[in-house]
Amino acid sequence: MKTFSKNFARGMNLTKQTLVLALAMIATLTITVSIVSSHNIPDKHSSALSDDHERTIIGVWRMALTTVNCQTGNVIRTVPGLWTFHEGGTMSEFAAAPGLTPALRGSGHGVWQREHGWQDYSLTFIFYRYDASGVFTGSQRARVALTLGASGDEFTATSAIEILDANDNVTITGCGAPTGTRFGGEKEQTEN
C-alpha cells in the first residue's frame, strides 16, 4: 500500500509540474502575441499622417451626404452618417435620414481604392432597404469619387446613387455631394 501511495504522490507531482509548465508556456505565448500584435496597431488617434507622413483615408469619418437633383444641383436633403475606411480596401458605412427610423435600412459595406495622386479615391458601397414592417424591399448602391483635403482631415466627394428593387433592377437614380471630417476619438470628446 505504501508503494502505491508513493507512486500516486509522484504521479500527482508530475501532473502538477506538467500543468504548471503548460500554463507558463500559454502565458509566454500570450505575452509574445500581444507584443508582436501591438507593433501593427496604428497611432491610437488614427491621425491622417502615417509614420512615413503619407495621407490616407483609413479611419473613421463623420459624414454628411447632401442629396441633390442631378439636373439642377438643387439640394433635396442632407443625411448625417459615419464612414469607416479599413486597411486593405474595405469600408463600413451607416447613415439615417432625420425623421426616418434606422430600421428601414441596414449598414453599408463596400470597397475603396486610391486613384491618381495622394488625395483621390474611389469607392462603392451597398446597403439593404426594408419597409416599415421589416420586409426586404431592395438595396441602395453608391459610387463615389472622393478627394481628401490638404490636411488629410476632411474630404469632399461626388456620388452616383442607385436604388434597386428586390430583384436588383434599378428603379431610381440620384446624385450626392458627401463631405466628411475625420473623427478624432479623445480629441473629439474634449471639443464637444
Side-chain angles (χ1 to χ4, degrees):
M1 186 70 168
K2 284 187 176 185
T3 306
F4 171 75
S5 56
K6 281 184 181 177
N7 288 338
F8 182 75
R10 262 193 242 131
M12 286 299 288
N13 284 338
L14 184 59
T15 302
K16 285 181 185 178
Q17 289 174 352
T18 304
L19 181 61
V20 168
L21 181 61
L23 289 174
M25 289 178 61
I26 290 170
T28 302
L29 286 172
T30 302
I31 291 168
T32 302
V33 168
S34 295
I35 290 170
V36 170
S37 296
S38 71
H39 291 304
N40 294 327
I41 297 173
D43 181 27
K44 76 177 198 178
H45 296 297
S46 191
S47 107
L49 303 179
S50 65
D51 290 340
D52 62 357
H53 303 293
E54 181 180 340
R55 291 173 182 90
T56 178
I57 63 170
I58 294 171
V60 179
W61 297 80
R62 287 177 179 249
M63 181 275 308
L65 169 61
T66 301
T67 306
V68 297
N69 179 300
C70 296
Q71 283 72 41
T72 66
N74 291 340
V75 172
I76 297 170
R77 68 179 175 187
T78 299
V79 177
L82 295 170
W83 285 0
T84 302
F85 296 96
H86 311 279
E87 285 189 43
T90 60
M91 72 166 292
S92 305
E93 163 292 332
F94 190 80
L100 295 179
T101 174
L104 296 177
R105 59 157 291 171
S107 59
H109 300 276
V111 294
W112 65 269
Q113 68 181 21
R114 183 181 298 220
E115 297 297 339
H116 309 290
W118 62 266
Q119 66 187 44
D120 296 322
Y121 296 84
S122 62
L123 54 121
T124 301
F125 65 88
I126 190 167
F127 61 85
Y128 293 128
R129 300 166 48 97
Y130 305 90
D131 68 15
S133 62
V135 174
F136 175 71
T137 60
S139 60
Q140 185 166 324
R141 180 174 44 219
R143 290 183 174 86
V144 181
L146 182 147
T147 302
L148 190 61
S151 72
D153 288 330
E154 71 279 333
F155 70 76
T156 57
T158 57
S159 63
I161 301 164
E162 296 176 325
I163 297 177
L164 297 91
D165 65 18
N167 295 314
D168 280 338
N169 299 308
V170 176
T171 59
I172 300 173
T173 60
C175 297
T179 58
T181 56
R182 189 177 296 278
F183 179 73
E186 290 176 13
K187 177 182 171 190
E188 182 98 7
Q189 292 172 0
T190 59
E191 291 177 358
N192 290 332

